[in-house]
Amino acid sequence: MTPPARMPSRAVTDISDATLQRFAGYRMKRAFNVIRDDLHLVLKPFDLRMLTYTALVLIVDNPGLRQAQLADAMDVERPNVVVIVDELEQRGLIVRDPAPNDRRAYALNPTPAGEHLCATALTAVERHEERLMAGIDAETRAAMFAGLEAIRRGSDRRVK
Amino acid sequence: MTPPARMPSRAVTDISDATLQRFAGYRMKRAFNVIRDDLHLVLKPFDLRMLTYTALVLIVDNPGLRQAQLADAMDVERPNVVVIVDELEQRGLIVRDPAPNDRRAYALNPTPAGEHLCATALTAVERHEERLMAGIDAETRAAMFAGLEAIRRGSDRRVK
DNA sequence: TTATATTAGTTATACTATATAATTAAATGA
DNA sequence: TCATTTAATTATATAGTATAACTAATATAA
């Protein structure tokens, strides 16, 4: 009698992820893990997270936008944007002004402190970006951006 | 006196994310959101999530690997792999065999049911991949993969 | 105008993902 | 032997994501 086939007598040494490597989603997740971890460290001195940083940039670049617009721009659900805006407001980086012509809504605006922190953080994020992209030539970067944009815009090719 | 500059009298219509578009991380997050949402729907019929699917594929492709190796291959912390392996084991898709030469460790092996589900799900994920990548030519795909791999491998360029 | 439906923001909630510290048992190695 | 390390686990905390339900206000339609 042979021993059970699925109980090998020797330990596995080299783990292969060849099957998963065929998928863009897997590769993106892995690359994004690297970016997320690095960005986390880069933003920590400013007490910002990826989401609060993103929201701050969008508010600085689009003063007066509403929370629903921010949620849409960030691709997060509206309830989740509330806590992000809360945090930025409590830190005095933005204010919830009354929106013109609609007493339900807020016009989100940066404070001078918010604008300043945004600019400082932006510089740090630019350095982070250049560090992570350092080994990648311009054509590859452009192709990468084009591919990512095609996936993002290909919402009509999604399931259902 | 002029009115306060940061309280515009008109609502903002077009939201610009031009600043963020300059960053690969932002573009990857947005593209990955699309992939994640689609993959979520694709895996739902199999009662798999991205993480359980990934683990199952790795166990099928590397029978006998240990949990620490799986954690390393998946880039998740070891405590978090426990619940993933628990779930796959409770569903009868994998087994925790004793590891050869080390009574502390497990050799993770797929069951026939696990191998079958893995193959079926893989086919669905391949269709999902081709759907999302449909508009992207081969050269762009290759450049994208190269760029993602360069970021992933550029761990030495990380902060600290 | 009144009635109905929709929208903005919020609250509550749940589930998933991720991370760290501490524990147990077993292996390693001085 | 004794100290150290490692594998898996438990407990726990934080963050990200999603849905339902609520309120107040606006828009629509009879």
Side-chain angles (χ1 to χ4, degrees):
Chain A
M1 291 295 267
T2 57
R6 71 160 195 270
M7 179 120 71
S9 50
R10 291 191 328 161
V12 184
T13 51
D14 282 316
I15 306 304
S16 162
D17 63 349
T19 299
L20 298 170
Q21 289 278 9
R22 291 159 43 205
F23 298 110
Y26 177 74
R27 289 174 176 267
M28 281 182 48
K29 172 108 169 70
R30 299 306 295 264
F32 186 70
N33 280 353
V34 172
I35 296 181
R36 174 182 35 74
D37 291 351
D38 193 85
L39 187 62
H40 183 72
L41 294 172
V42 166
L43 291 178
K44 180 166 270 180
F46 309 107
D47 208 357
L48 289 169
R49 286 166 293 127
M50 193 168 55
L51 287 172
T52 53
Y53 166 74
T54 303
L56 182 58
V57 170
L58 288 170
I59 294 167
V60 167
D61 281 1
N62 302 275
L65 90 168
R66 298 159 167 225
Q67 287 188 197
Q69 291 176 307
L70 180 60
D72 190 58
M74 289 181 68
D75 199 15
V76 303
E77 298 298 321
R78 266 155 302 177
N80 297 327
V81 103
V82 173
V83 297
I84 294 169
V85 169
D86 280 350
E87 183 176 330
L88 293 174
E89 189 183 39
Q90 280 157 24
R91 291 183 56 193
L93 302 173
I94 66 159
V95 289
R96 278 192 247 231
D97 289 323
N101 309 328
D102 193 336
R103 284 180 298 164
R104 295 170 300 180
Y106 297 121
L108 303 178
N109 285 297
T111 64
E115 285 181 350
H116 182 260
L117 184 67
C118 186
T120 312
L122 184 60
T123 304
V125 173
E126 278 164 351
R127 281 196 300 266
H128 139 92
E129 170 89 359
E130 196 39 55
R131 203 168 2 90
L132 291 182
M133 302 282 282
I136 307 174
D137 61 74
E139 299 94 273
T140 303
R141 291 190 200 195
M144 224 178 97
F145 276 35
L148 295 174
E149 188 64 18
I151 292 171
R152 176 183 174 179
R153 296 207 161 261
S155 316
D156 52 323
R157 287 203 185 76
R158 286 189 232 177
V159 113
K160 249 86 218 171
Chain B
M1 292 293 269
T2 56
R6 72 157 194 271
M7 178 120 71
S9 51
R10 290 191 327 160
V12 183
T13 50
D14 281 318
I15 306 303
S16 163
D17 64 349
T19 299
L20 299 170
Q21 290 277 12
R22 291 159 42 205
F23 298 110
Y26 177 74
R27 288 174 177 267
M28 279 182 47
K29 173 108 169 68
R30 299 306 296 263
F32 186 69
N33 279 353
V34 172
I35 295 180
R36 175 180 37 73
D37 291 351
D38 194 83
L39 188 62
H40 182 73
L41 294 172
V42 166
L43 291 179
K44 181 164 269 180
F46 308 106
D47 208 357
L48 290 169
R49 285 167 292 127
M50 193 168 53
L51 287 172
T52 53
Y53 166 74
T54 302
L56 182 57
V57 170
L58 287 169
I59 293 167
V60 166
D61 282 1
N62 302 276
L65 91 168
R66 296 158 168 227
Q67 286 187 198
Q69 291 176 307
L70 180 60
D72 189 59
M74 289 182 67
D75 198 17
V76 303
E77 298 300 320
R78 267 156 301 177
N80 298 326
V81 102
V82 173
V83 296
I84 294 170
V85 170
D86 280 350
E87 182 177 332
L88 293 174
E89 190 183 39
Q90 280 157 24
R91 290 183 56 193
L93 301 172
I94 67 160
V95 289
R96 279 191 246 231
D97 288 324
N101 309 326
D102 194 336
R103 283 180 298 164
R104 297 171 301 180
Y106 297 121
L108 303 177
N109 285 297
T111 63
E115 286 181 349
H116 182 261
L117 184 67
C118 186
T120 312
L122 184 60
T123 304
V125 173
E126 278 163 350
R127 282 196 299 265
H128 139 93
E129 171 88 0
E130 197 37 56
R131 203 168 1 90
L132 291 181
M133 302 282 281
I136 307 173
D137 60 74
E139 299 94 273
T140 303
R141 292 189 199 195
M144 223 178 100
F145 276 34
L148 294 174
E149 189 63 17
I151 292 172
R152 176 183 173 179
R153 296 205 161 263
S155 316
D156 53 323
R157 287 203 184 77
R158 286 189 233 177
V159 112
K160 251 85 221 170

